[in-house]
Amino acid sequence: MIKLLSLVLFFTTLTQVACRLSNETDRLALLSFKELIAEDPLGSLSSWNNSLNLCKWDGVTCSRKHQRVVVLDLRGKSLKGTMSPCIGNLSFLRSLYLQENKFQGKIPLELNHLFRLQHLNFSSNSLQGEIPTNLSNSLRIIFLPYNDLVGKIPASFGSLSKLIYLNLLANNLIGGIPPSLGNLSLLQGVGFGRNSLTGNIPHSIGRLSNLEIFGVGSTKLSGTVPPTLYNISTLKQLIISSNLLTGSLPQDIGLTLPNLILLSVGQNQFRGPFPVSLSNASRVRFLDLSKSNLSGPIPFNLGRLMKDLRWLNLGSNNLGSGDASDLRFIDSLTNCSKLEILGFDDNGFGGVLPTSIGNLLSHLNMLAAGRNQLVGNIPAGISSLVNLAALGLEENLFSGVIPFEIGKLRNLQRLVFSRNKLSGPMPTSIGNLTLILQLYLDDNNLNGTIPSSIENIVGLQDLELSHNFLTGPIPITVGLFSTLIFMKLANNSFMGALPLEIGKLINLQYLDVSDNKLSGYIPSSLENSIKLESLFLQRNMFQGSIPPFSSLKGIKELDLSHNNLSGQIPEDLAALVFLKNLNLSFNDLAGEVPLQGVFGNLSTISLVGNKGLCGGIAEIRLPACPKSMKKGNRLGFKIIYNLCFLICLNAEYGIGGRTSTEGDVYSYGILLLEMLTGRRPTDELFAISQNLHEFCKVALPERVMEIIDSRMLLEEPSEAENDAQNERVRRAKIRECLVSLMRIGIACSAESPSERMNIKNVIIGLMTIKEVFLGVGIHGMRQMRMRLTGEGTSRE
């Protein structure tokens, strides 16, 4: 008995020593793993140290008997680094979970030492290289999606007889699907989508009698789908969309796949009629048959049994016949109380949109019915779909007005009614759609003005109202849309000025207000929209000079043609390196055409219809420019002429004397504003809202140069002023002079007589401007006065 007890004690001690030695192997393997971790932002491996037993380390699970590592679970720890080959020394490891980290490099080949490994999950990392071929025959689950793996799917996977799930989604794999996978009788899930696989779907896949998920979407597979695949009654998810597959869908697919939950076959090269048996697929939740070349009618009872249907996409097929009964199937969809997505756009459906569309329960998030042949009014009942985020009815034949009830869809983010025959005004209730990001009402017959309530949509990104009959001014509230990226208002009857506030659209990339009746000056504030890439202002009545647009560094397209623009072409346009299409034709531009930038290529510019232009590249065939006359360092003859005329007018008619009236001062101010702007109080512009006084007051001081009559600035700088620094000084001096004159005109033409400027102060102000800005002395002033009044010079 003593000998027996001694023997037992000996072997027990030996076993404990052996366990300690093998346990040490696991510890060293894990420490080697830790050494290759470059980033551990959550401190997940901080417990991996010599002061703590490895079985108590975070993410480590040991077996009770041998104290060996059997599970390593570090999922979602944001670890960054490479995998140590020493991981292959964890010989008792059964489960390895490293998903949702930032591992790089290759999968260690030493994984083939882990002959007990059953679960392997490396999904959502940045692993590269090829998939190891000799993995453990004990593996039941292999998850490697969302990495950067290359090469082919190992044919050796066909020998992993215990494999249940194989997911290689979203990598860079090539080659075909190994036919050997058909040997895996336990296989339940296959995910190969979003790779670059080629070839056919092997017929051997049809032997997988336990298959529940087969996903090969968004690859490059071709050929026909094996008929046996459609007969696997256990199949719950069939995803073969976005391939090059041919053939047709079986008419009995809804009967042979009774457990079907998800069917996605869209964007292939299928053909044939809509499978009527799908109305029997009572468990289906996700049904995507888009872009499948399906034809014929849709069974009117399609949704009768689909209590759990959430997604139905029938878009871009050849369904429907233009008949009034084409959309009868919508009545049956009222049974689908969980429906969130409904799309039947880009087909041949005719008739009216059924009123039952409003009976689809409030879960509906998106309704896409565009590009069909639907007629009649947009049913007001659609407003009951209060959770709609996207509504598309574009390119149909809808008529009548946009229902006022549309304002009840307060969750709308995208509204598309383009290219219909809708008429009447934009409903004021559209301002209730405060979450709208994209509003498309173009190519209709809408009239009236843009409702002021639109200012409530502060997050608007795309506004498309082109090709309607909208009138009135463009509201200044557009400046509130700081998020606006695209604004298209072309081919309407908008009038008045382009608001200065448009410069607040700092995210604007595309602006088209062409073919309207806009007038006034192109606001220089557009320079604040530094992200502009396309600017179309053609076929309006804009006047004045072209702003330099020097800050629009990314501008690619600029069309200012068919306006009344005058002055010279700004040199700044030649410095816009991305500008590839410039149209300045049919204006009143004059002066020399630059040679650099966009002006150096005949195919990128159009300047026809500007009789005063000269120079430029030879291909434009403009006359040569005459040599500039040398002039003194003056601001411009027109400014002197007009200013002197005003002062002489005071002296000649006694304005400012004892006989002067407040009416004289008012008339004097209006006259000054007329001379500065080239406008009259009776201009059409002032019939809408403001008058000449208010027009000038709003422009002071930032917009003065925009509203000044370009004829005031005829004189070219002298040679001494031709360098950039002097030219900037000259321009600043001109602007300061004109601002001072404008202030006097506004002060004289105030509505209240008590607010008008005293005429004596007017004279003092004008004389000060003369002395400070023009440099014309008393003697020169007297000579100018005599020339203006026809007096001789002998009296001097």
Side-chain angles (χ1 to χ4, degrees), residues 316 500 563 640 726:
S316 300
L500 174 67
N563 279 288
I640 296 175
N726 287 335

Side-chain angles (χ1 to χ4, degrees), residues 13 65 69 316 369 507 559 635 681 792:
T13 304
K65 182 177 181 181
V69 177
S316 300
N507 291 298
D559 194 336
L635 286 179

Side-chain angles (χ1 to χ4, degrees), residues 254-255 258 276-283 301-302 304-306:
L255 301 174
V276 294
S277 64
L278 280 175
S279 58
N280 295 296
S282 59
R283 299 185 180 184
N301 61 344
L302 177 65
R304 180 173 57 89
L305 301 177
M306 297 180 179

Side-chain angles (χ1 to χ4, degrees), residues 10 95 164 246 438 442 452 458 524 568 586 597 646 663 666 695 740:
F10 171 76
S95 300
I164 297 176
T246 56
Q438 298 166 320
D442 53 295
S452 59
V458 294
S524 59
Q568 291 190 321
F586 298 100
L646 289 168
Y666 179 82
F695 175 75
S740 298

Side-chain angles (χ1 to χ4, degrees), residues 663-680:
D664 294 327
V665 178
Y666 179 82
S667 300
Y668 189 72
I670 293 296
L671 175 62
L672 176 54
L673 296 182
E674 285 185 28
M675 296 181 68
L676 290 173
T677 64
R679 291 184 175 276
R680 295 185 177 277

Side-chain angles (χ1 to χ4, degrees), residues 436-440 460-464 484-487:
I436 279 281
L437 302 176
Q438 298 166 320
L439 179 60
Y440 298 98
L460 195 62
Q461 295 178 1
D462 297 353
L463 177 62
E464 170 64 279
L484 203 63
I485 298 173
F486 297 93
M487 183 162 72

